[in-house]
Amino acid sequence: MAQSFQSDFLNTLEERGFIHQITDPGALDEALLNGPVAAYIGFDATADSLHVGSLTQIMMLHHLQRTGHRPIVLMGGGTTKVGDPSGKDTQRKLLSPADIEANIAGIRRAFEPFLTFGEGPQDAMMVNNDDWLSELSYIPFLRDYGVHFTINRMLTFDSVKLRLDREQPLTFLEFNYMLMQAYDFLELQRRYGCTLQMGGSDQWGNIVNGTELIRRVAASEGTEAQGFGLTTPLVTTSSGKKMGKTENGAVWLNAERTSPYEYWQFWRNTEDADVAGMLRRFTLLPMDEVQRLSGLEGSEINEAKKVLATEATALLHGRDEAERAAETARTTFEAGGTAADLPSTEASRSDLEAGLPLFVPFQALGLIASNGEGRRHIKAGALKINGQALKEERPLTTEDLDGEVIKLSIGKKKHGLLRVAP
């Protein structure tokens, strides 16, 4: 049963399906009414772009700012050096400081379409926990903060139990991660008055650690302080896949990793049963329009999927890119044409004259993952050249050119272009 809140922020999150757990709902609701409240979500810098799996957290920060509060994007420059064991079966590869800095620069670009950064009380800010974690001295840290944690309780967290139950190594380095995340919350409260940490449901234990550390440190100093925690459900598709995971890998937020057209196609290919939830969480459409679109059935649900794809793409890449992607799809799928904005790869004319191995460009475009997969598609009649299904494996040649391009397809939904290199 849906909860009733007084604050715009919690009401928005509730009606759009973002709320899983809150440490003290009534007190947080009251604090938001008396705002602005500063709230943060942490992101480790393990790649130079975030992917769609992080979009739930980004949208929460977006709604926070829209309802008059201050988002803090905490980049884990320090914790990335350790590695979060939550949801992991093995230890993450450790990155160099230079790699981490480059990744943070790339990740910032993913936030800029969603948040307004600045110095005002409601402007977003991006901070790096390496600024304080790298300054800590080990013995003083253990003395001042380690006393507030017990090994007994830490062993009950799912992130730890999973590895131990499977008899997989959990290093002492990773075990320290939860102490560091709790300390982040304390440090953000001290520096920026941050009183709310948000994250996915797999972070609940870490978030509660932070709220308890804030309370216990304040009590040890003879004062009172409260931090709040809020988690969102982990988003999976109706078929059980993680949000943003496809057979060809992650769907990235940075355009050089996943083009606006490919991003649009990801949303267009949403499973029927997931359309309503995706419209709620990943567009800014009014809820009455979300409900109308969610009620479409049969072939009409494809119209809802196109709206979802265009609105989600517009949020990240802008309205012009979203409409261009929609037109590319219309030209490709409905008008039977070859749209210039399709993902493309190149080959030299001499390679085509000599005979280009068939699966090379298909793999370069991400249409197939291996030669074996390509051969299976040929047997199924799904691998197409310029719209015509191939019956057997053969090289691509200049005779396949339609002007200066060859249209490559897998089934009805996956397309790309092979262009002649200048």
Side-chain angles (χ1 to χ4, degrees):
M1 183 175 178
Q3 298 183 59
S4 177
F5 298 105
Q6 297 183 65
S7 63
D8 290 341
F9 177 58
L10 291 184
N11 273 324
T12 298
L13 291 195
E14 178 68 23
E15 71 178 357
R16 291 186 177 269
F18 284 101
I19 295 179
H20 181 61
Q21 294 168 294
I22 305 177
T23 53
D24 189 340
L28 175 58
D29 199 23
E30 183 178 353
L32 289 161
L33 283 173
N34 297 324
V37 165
Y40 88 96
I41 300 178
F43 300 85
D44 278 343
T46 53
D48 62 1
S49 171
L50 297 177
H51 55 69
V52 169
S54 297
L55 198 55
T56 296
Q57 282 68 45
I58 294 174
M59 291 301 296
M60 291 171 73
L61 292 173
H62 178 81
H63 288 301
L64 182 80
Q65 188 168 46
R66 286 187 82 202
T67 53
H69 304 283
R70 185 173 204 185
I72 299 176
V73 179
L74 177 66
M75 294 309 308
T79 41
T80 299
K81 297 175 181 178
V82 175
D84 180 5
S86 300
K88 302 294 182 295
D89 291 339
T90 57
Q91 183 181 3
R92 280 176 172 166
K93 176 184 176 182
L94 299 182
L95 302 177
S96 71
D99 290 336
I100 292 171
E101 284 300 317
N103 287 346
I104 289 175
I107 288 171
R108 183 184 175 96
R109 290 165 42 212
F111 285 96
E112 290 173 347
F114 295 93
L115 300 175
T116 300
F117 289 89
E119 301 298 326
Q122 297 172 17
D123 287 339
M125 60 190 305
M126 179 176 281
V127 297
N128 186 343
N129 66 10
D130 194 51
D131 292 346
W132 53 83
L133 292 179
S134 291
E135 299 300 317
L136 291 173
S137 297
Y138 188 59
I139 298 301
F141 177 73
L142 290 181
R143 181 195 62 209
D144 294 340
Y145 305 107
V147 295
H148 298 295
F149 298 86
T150 66
I151 297 296
N152 313 60
R153 188 162 187 274
M154 293 165 74
L155 289 173
T156 68
F157 293 154
D158 288 342
S159 58
V160 175
K161 288 175 61 180
L162 175 67
R163 296 272 280 276
L164 297 181
D165 290 346
R166 295 182 180 180
E167 298 184 354
Q168 293 165 330
L170 177 70
T171 68
F172 184 69
L173 182 67
E174 294 172 286
F175 198 64
N176 273 269
Y177 186 96
M178 56 189 74
L179 275 73
M180 296 166 70
Q181 184 170 332
Y183 182 74
D184 282 343
F185 198 175
L186 177 65
E187 193 69 25
L188 288 169
Q189 187 183 63
R190 287 170 168 171
R191 292 182 179 223
Y192 308 110
C194 180
T195 55
L196 171 62
Q197 180 182 177
M198 303 186 292
S201 59
D202 61 331
Q203 293 295 320
W204 179 249
N206 289 338
I207 290 173
V208 169
N209 271 343
T211 64
E212 292 185 355
L213 181 62
I214 287 171
R215 178 180 58 81
R216 291 175 180 176
V217 169
S220 70
E221 297 170 348
T223 61
E224 292 184 0
Q226 183 175 16
F228 302 99
L230 185 157
T231 62
T232 188
L234 294 181
V235 180
T236 57
T237 66
S238 57
S239 60
K241 293 181 181 178
K242 280 189 175 182
M243 174 67 179
K245 296 294 185 180
T246 70
E247 61 189 30
N248 293 318
V251 179
W252 300 95
L253 300 185
N254 288 14
E256 65 272 13
R257 283 224 184 196
T258 297
S259 71
Y261 172 78
E262 292 170 310
Y263 191 76
W264 190 95
Q265 276 295 323
F266 165 75
W267 295 105
R268 171 62 181 83
N269 292 332
T270 297
E271 297 176 40
D272 291 1
D274 297 326
V275 172
M278 299 302 182
L279 283 166
R280 280 191 300 160
R281 291 188 184 96
F282 303 117
T283 78
L284 298 181
L285 290 172
M287 286 305 297
D288 56 354
E289 179 64 5
V290 169
Q291 291 165 2
R292 184 191 72 81
L293 291 168
S294 300
L296 297 179
E297 297 179 349
S299 61
E300 289 185 336
I301 201 169
N302 289 324
E303 295 306 312
K305 292 181 182 182
K306 292 175 187 176
V307 172
L308 167 63
T310 300
E311 294 300 316
T313 304
L315 272 175
L316 177 63
H317 295 295
R319 182 66 57 180
D320 289 347
E321 286 288 356
E323 292 180 353
R324 186 177 297 115
E327 178 60 20
T328 297
R330 190 199 68 79
T331 302
T332 303
F333 302 119
E334 298 175 14
T338 301
D341 287 336
L342 285 173
S344 65
T345 187
E346 292 184 345
S348 68
R349 187 171 292 274
S350 61
D351 285 340
L352 288 170
E353 289 172 349
L356 181 68
L358 177 65
F359 300 129
V360 169
F362 277 90
Q363 291 187 54
L365 288 164
L367 298 177
I368 61 173
S370 65
N371 291 353
E373 182 184 347
R375 295 185 182 105
R376 289 193 294 274
H377 284 305
I378 290 176
K379 289 181 179 179
L383 190 148
K384 300 176 183 179
I385 304 299
N386 296 325
Q388 299 297 313
L390 285 190
K391 296 182 179 179
E392 59 184 15
E393 183 178 350
R394 65 163 177 81
L396 294 171
T397 71
T398 53
E399 293 183 4
D400 294 308
L401 287 170
D402 181 1
E404 292 296 299
V405 301
I406 302 172
K407 183 179 177 182
L408 309 177
S409 306
I410 298 292
K412 295 181 179 180
K413 295 183 178 180
K414 299 169 67 174
H415 306 273
L417 300 179
L418 175 62
R419 301 181 183 275
V420 176

